[in-house]
Amino acid sequence: MLTATKEHSANVAAEDTPLTDGFHLVIDALKANDIDTIFGLVGIPITDLARLAQAEGMRFIGFRHEQHAGNAAAIAGYMTQKPGICLTVSAPGFLNGLTALANATTNCFPMILISGSSEREIVDLQQGDYEEMDQLNAAKPYAKASYRINKAEDIAIGVARAIRAAVSGRPGGVYLDLPAQLLGQSIPAQKGKESLFRVIDAAPKQIPAPDAIKRAIDVLKNAKRPLILLGKGAAYAQADQEIKDLVEKSGIPYLPMSMAKGLLPDTHPQCASAARSFVLAEADTVMLVGARLNWLLAHGKGKTWGNHLKKFIQIDIAATEIDSNVPIAAPVIGDVGSCVTEILKQIGSVPKPSAEWIHAINEKKDKNIAKMEETLSKNPSPMNFHSALRAIREVVKANPDVNIVNEGANTLDYARSIVNMYKPRKRFDSGTWGIMGIGMGYAIGAAVVSKQPVIAIEGDSAFGFSGMELETICRYNLPIITVVFNNNGVYRGTDVNPTGGADVAPTVFVKNARYDKMMEAFGGVGYNVTTPEELTDALNKSLASGKPTVINAVIDETAGTESGRLTNLNPASTATKK
Ligand code: ADP
Ligand code: TPW
């Protein structure tokens, strides 16, 4: 407990009044809301805030770059429905964290980026302060909400506003600006204590209107070829039993989006993933559950959707999502748990999908699965994406509690379809932006929150964005196994410089790099593997040991296509096109 000194507290309190200050109140306010972990990177003015958090029993996980601390916080928020906290210094630290904040907002993950900021008087007059920046305004376009706290007595309210904004309605990233002078401000301890409180019902249930349910049921009743599409909003909602009931009681086939994989096991008989193109094109009625009709779903129209508009039912907590790309026949606004519960009450009145529809899907699935198994059973030397992922698939099947982090182009596309998931909220990937760089941040967040092992399946380019966090993984001794799919470059390693000059092509890296040795530099375990058997063996040993590990998986450098499955999104030069 602090007490007042003469200089310190002249206008605040009598000389021996116990005091508290901004540092303590920020930590107290977070703790009052059950926040027990901060992901961050220290420096002026927040080093003591991190020290104090640790001293007060919170976990402080220190990173080597703020973007990865922010990504760890975001994924922690997604996994727990509590906002993940990222703490950074001013200007450049804040900007490094801002990428993660924007990514969290884009993906609807609740997180709070807390950054220290420099002296307002100097910043606002642009007089050139140390790390000067108008952070609050810089954050606004990329955050769901942005706040600054100026007075110590407002800290509890400011933290409460940030928490509520992050988790209520559509979750997102919130920026909270803490000026350096706020942290040092003192007020009487009693007054500080009285200001603290716990946010009541931070993410209130949102019950759908009865007529919206009736409309949805009517649309379902008229469906000939219905399909359920589960998105990461459904996974986030933690309404796992309700979703299982919806799928099984309706008998409707379903498709999980990549992070909704495992909400029901991918091996579920109603899972239509192996017939994805077929069901998207052929379905006449689609029920979206926490999934947006963005680029990942070809905007709900065009060839992917069989060139004819479907009747959509859309369950979403954000009313403004409705009709974003195509007209929605039956919007159902509310939280997934409440909406599905209401739909379940009337699902008995909806006829089961026809045997013909189910049969057509199963036929397609069987054919595609057989084809894929044939490809997967091959053992080319060097390994390719398929044979390496076969090894990972089998290890995940035997260890369904492991978390999977996944990024890259081909590495992402193939792993998403080959590696089955069995449990909810265990797959974390490039998400709504298709972003590279989430790898080690998500892996650390997932390991810290779940206390279960993580296998990060990383393209060699993707891994490079966050590779320095291997040191963080070793420092906290986290059970993270990073498998680097090393094909010597971005997408693949075979491009050549057409001029014959000394520089390699833009997509090419150092040949035969040994990412496993990076891990050894920090005291972790490294493996260099060239066959699926070696990969299996290294994965099993790593899972058994729980030690931080990097497996450098050597992949055929000719394997892989430009941008994976997104080749068509690359603009072509009209001038040089033949
Ligand atoms: P995916 O990429 O898996 O298709 P998206 O991120 O595009 O998923 O969509 C998630 C959707 O889920 C968003 O529109 C968001 O508003 C919604 N959402 C998030 N949480 C909930 C919830 N608890 N209840 C209902 N909808 C939710
Ligand atoms: C922040 C552009 C998309 S995929 C990718 C890049 C650079 C890497 C692909 O190579 P990798 O995978 O990881 O070796 P693979 O399996 O094909 O061999 N910067 C950001 N985000 C994105 N998406 C890019 C660049 C990109």
Side-chain angles (χ1 to χ4, degrees), residues 429-510:
D429 66 24
S430 302
T432 304
W433 260 347
I435 196 177
M436 299 301 115
I438 48 85
M440 297 302 101
Y442 280 7
I444 292 168
V448 166
V449 166
S450 71
K451 303 193 168 44
Q452 301 277 358
V454 178
I455 300 178
I457 310 172
E458 301 273 309
D460 49 348
S461 164
F463 169 71
F465 288 74
S466 63
M468 192 62 203
E469 302 300 341
L470 290 183
E471 190 276 330
T472 309
I473 293 171
C474 288
R475 192 166 7 112
Y476 294 100
N477 195 26
L478 296 169
I480 296 172
I481 305 161
T482 303
V483 185
V484 180
F485 275 45
N486 188 352
N487 62 357
N488 298 336
V490 178
Y491 312 133
R492 52 175 185 256
T494 48
D495 278 12
V496 287
N497 177 343
T499 69
D503 289 348
V504 297
T507 56
V508 168
F509 292 157
V510 163

Side-chain angles (χ1 to χ4, degrees), residues 26-73:
V26 171
I27 302 303
D28 292 345
L30 292 172
K31 283 178 69 179
N33 286 285
D34 291 337
I35 289 170
D36 54 13
T37 306
I38 295 176
F39 304 93
L41 202 164
V42 297
I44 296 171
I46 50 88
T47 310
D48 274 351
L49 193 60
R51 287 200 182 103
L52 189 68
Q54 190 173 57
E56 299 277 322
M58 292 180 82
R59 195 146 192 225
F60 183 84
I61 307 287
F63 282 71
R64 305 300 294 261
H65 188 290
E66 293 87 350
Q67 186 178 317
H68 312 309
N71 284 329

Side-chain angles (χ1 to χ4, degrees), residues 106-108 169-171 230-234 236-237 257-260 290-292 294 296-297 315-318 321 334-337 432:
T106 302
N107 281 280
C108 315
R170 171 184 276 179
L230 302 173
K232 60 182 172 305
Y236 174 79
M257 297 299 287
S258 67
M259 282 180 57
R292 286 171 284 186
N294 55 18
L296 287 160
L297 282 170
I315 299 180
D316 206 291
I317 204 153
E321 188 54 42
D335 66 280
V336 164
T432 304

Side-chain angles (χ1 to χ4, degrees), residues 247 252-256 261 264-275 361-362 365 369 420:
V247 168
I252 299 174
Y254 75 95
L255 273 184
K261 276 163 69 73
L264 292 138
D266 282 336
T267 48
H268 193 285
Q270 286 169 256
C271 179
S273 292
I361 296 171
N362 286 340
K365 264 173 74 173
I369 289 172
N420 285 331

